[in-house]
Amino acid sequence: MKRSKLVTYLDTYLGLGSFEGLDRSLNGLVVGGPEKEVRKVAFAVDACQATFEKAISEGADLLIVHHGLYWGTPLPITGAHHMRISTLLKGNLDLYAAHLPLDAHPKVGNNVVMAEKLGLQDIEPFAPYKGAMLGFKGAFKEGKDPKWIAEQLGFENPVVLPFGKDSITTVGIVSGGASSDVYAALSDGLDCFITGEVEHQIYHDAQESGITVIGGGHYQTEIFGVQALSEHIRDTFDLEVCFIANPTGL
């Protein structure tokens, strides 16, 4: 299909317009030359050299990532950035980024997919950010322990602050670097907060307030959105897709 048709669909489906002014990321089509046919789409968490090379070797025409190349600051095209741009251009690989829109999306977003994977009920938006809601929260039918939750989400080396109830019923989820959203979880009276990175500064507040915090890793909590989006694009447009794993362990 024509790239312009796919990009227009993605912009609308992911609601990019709703995040203008909220997101430091440059979302949408970031690198793309003249109009072309897209037959294969690669998906990955990070825009980086290794991912670009793998996407090109897989024969992808377009790469869709969660973490793009630009974060509110112009970059000189030198050093590693020059190599990345050069690789994309030489490989005829276009790049599309969706950061906060792929956290907050109610169907294919990182947080709602994790909530559904856990089998939470009564799932609803959670954790306000500049007027938008980025996360989701819900409840288990029966209480679960932190180990079960981490295993269900595939967290291999989670950071767990086990300061809450032994049997967790209510959970809030915000992927990535969202430690401060533990305060939204406390405000909502939740038993557990799941995020990617657990920062030192929330430790004592979590302990003294009696909430369990589970950090699954920034990368690991953000594979869910790109994988769900890849399945959606495959099924909607009958395009060939692939997921490129490049875990950082962080």
Side-chain angles (χ1 to χ4, degrees), residues 1 9 14 49 53 71 84 95 102 121 138 143 150 168 177 197 208 232:
M1 65 182 302
Y9 177 83
L14 296 174
Q49 185 67 23
E53 291 174 359
W71 299 92
R84 291 172 177 175
L95 179 67
L102 198 53
Q121 299 184 338
I168 293 167
E197 302 174 30
E208 294 162 17
H232 175 78

Side-chain angles (χ1 to χ4, degrees), residues 1-14 37-41 43 61-62 64 96 108 228-241:
M1 65 182 302
K2 294 292 185 183
R3 185 195 62 210
S4 59
K5 180 179 178 180
L6 180 56
V7 166
T8 297
Y9 177 83
L10 288 165
D11 290 351
T12 302
Y13 180 70
L14 296 174
E37 288 288 329
V38 173
R39 296 178 177 83
K40 185 171 185 177
V41 185
F43 294 78
D61 304 296
L62 174 68
I64 297 175
Y96 185 100
V108 299
L229 182 60
S230 73
E231 294 169 2
H232 175 78
I233 293 301
R234 178 198 65 201
D235 296 343
T236 302
F237 296 106
D238 195 28
L239 285 170
E240 186 178 357
V241 301

Side-chain angles (χ1 to χ4, degrees), residues 20-53:
E20 290 182 8
L22 304 182
D23 200 345
R24 291 190 305 118
S25 171
L26 177 61
N27 295 317
L29 185 65
V30 179
V31 177
E35 177 71 289
K36 70 178 186 181
E37 288 288 329
V38 173
R39 296 178 177 83
K40 185 171 185 177
V41 185
F43 294 78
V45 175
D46 300 313
C48 63
Q49 185 67 23
T51 296
F52 295 166
E53 291 174 359

